[in-house]
Amino acid sequence: MEIHAPESPIQSLKDFAIHIGVVTVGILIALGLEQAVEAYHRHELARQAVESFHAELAENRKAVREVLDEIAGHNTRAEEDIALLTAWQQGKGTAGTELKYPGIRLDLMSSASWDAAIATQALGELPYDAVRRYAEAYAGFRLFTEQEKAQLAEWQDMRLFGTDPAQMTATQRQTLIERLRHYQNYVIVLTMAGKGALTAADRALEVPKGPKGD
């Protein structure tokens, strides 16, 4: 913004007052326009952030739902392995039977939109209640991922025993039974974390897709 001197010389206090008034009005108009443009940009940034939240949360929700649908089968497989190992511990094992470990998944929940919104300060344009719901949803997905990682570590430890109970000592079989029980506990915790994440995501997805004033 540039301020130019009057084309004709100021000859009276009235001329000076008029000139100052014109300059002041021009400055106020320029500042008002600048603020309006900035407000529009912030508004658009917040709108884009919310749209990204809804898309990202919906994808995360789909992934969690798929995992929860598989968990019952994982628990059943663990029970079958425990029964097989117990039979060997009781001297009733059948040669040639092998363990079929439960499956595992690791779904890394995306939070790129949330991280970008924090970095660009887009959250400042959103109502507090909406921000809180989005924060709870992303926190729920982070907890779910952490539980998946813990379950993966347990699964990897179990696999070290191999698949043939006949090649294991009684102590190894008993240890593996305990590992499988631990795995089942992780299944319970993962199920609870998944249901909590879905509930939080559902609440967040109910938030209108617009920033303040929409």
Side-chain angles (χ1 to χ4, degrees), residues 75-126:
N75 197 56
T76 299
R77 183 62 58 81
E79 284 291 349
E80 293 172 351
D81 286 346
I82 290 172
L84 178 58
L85 290 165
T86 301
W88 275 93
Q89 290 295 81
Q90 297 172 350
K92 301 176 182 178
T94 302
T97 55
E98 293 189 345
L99 298 171
K100 297 180 179 179
Y101 290 101
I104 193 69
R105 282 184 58 163
L106 180 59
D107 298 81
L108 299 177
M109 302 292 111
S110 175
S111 62
S113 296
W114 179 254
D115 296 338
I118 293 176
T120 59
Q121 300 181 346
L123 298 179
E125 292 296 305
L126 301 178

Side-chain angles (χ1 to χ4, degrees), residues 44-89:
E44 280 298 295
L45 190 63
R47 183 187 62 78
Q48 293 171 11
V50 170
E51 289 183 354
S52 296
F53 291 162
H54 280 249
E56 194 167 60
L57 291 175
E59 284 298 314
N60 287 349
R61 190 188 186 286
K62 180 182 177 182
V64 171
R65 185 72 265 171
E66 290 175 354
V67 173
L68 294 183
D69 289 342
E70 295 178 1
I71 281 181
H74 294 172
N75 197 56
T76 299
R77 183 62 58 81
E79 284 291 349
E80 293 172 351
D81 286 346
I82 290 172
L84 178 58
L85 290 165
T86 301
W88 275 93
Q89 290 295 81

Side-chain angles (χ1 to χ4, degrees), residues 109-182:
M109 302 292 111
S110 175
S111 62
S113 296
W114 179 254
D115 296 338
I118 293 176
T120 59
Q121 300 181 346
L123 298 179
E125 292 296 305
L126 301 178
Y128 171 79
D129 185 62
V131 173
R132 179 180 58 80
R133 291 188 188 186
Y134 292 131
E136 289 175 350
Y138 280 102
F141 287 128
R142 283 195 298 271
L143 176 60
F144 181 81
T145 299
E146 290 171 2
Q147 293 304 317
E148 275 195 314
K149 290 179 179 179
Q151 187 187 44
L152 175 60
E154 189 67 35
W155 180 83
Q156 290 172 324
D157 288 342
M158 290 190 306
R159 299 285 298 184
L160 295 176
F161 288 88
T163 60
D164 188 356
Q167 300 299 319
M168 302 177 192
T169 65
T171 299
Q172 288 175 328
R173 287 193 291 264
Q174 186 59 42
T175 300
L176 183 52
I177 288 174
E178 294 173 1
R179 288 287 191 182
L180 286 163
R181 291 298 185 197
H182 289 164

Side-chain angles (χ1 to χ4, degrees), residues 189-204:
V189 175
L190 184 62
T191 300
M192 295 173 60
K195 290 181 178 179
L198 292 180
T199 299
D202 287 343
R203 286 197 297 264

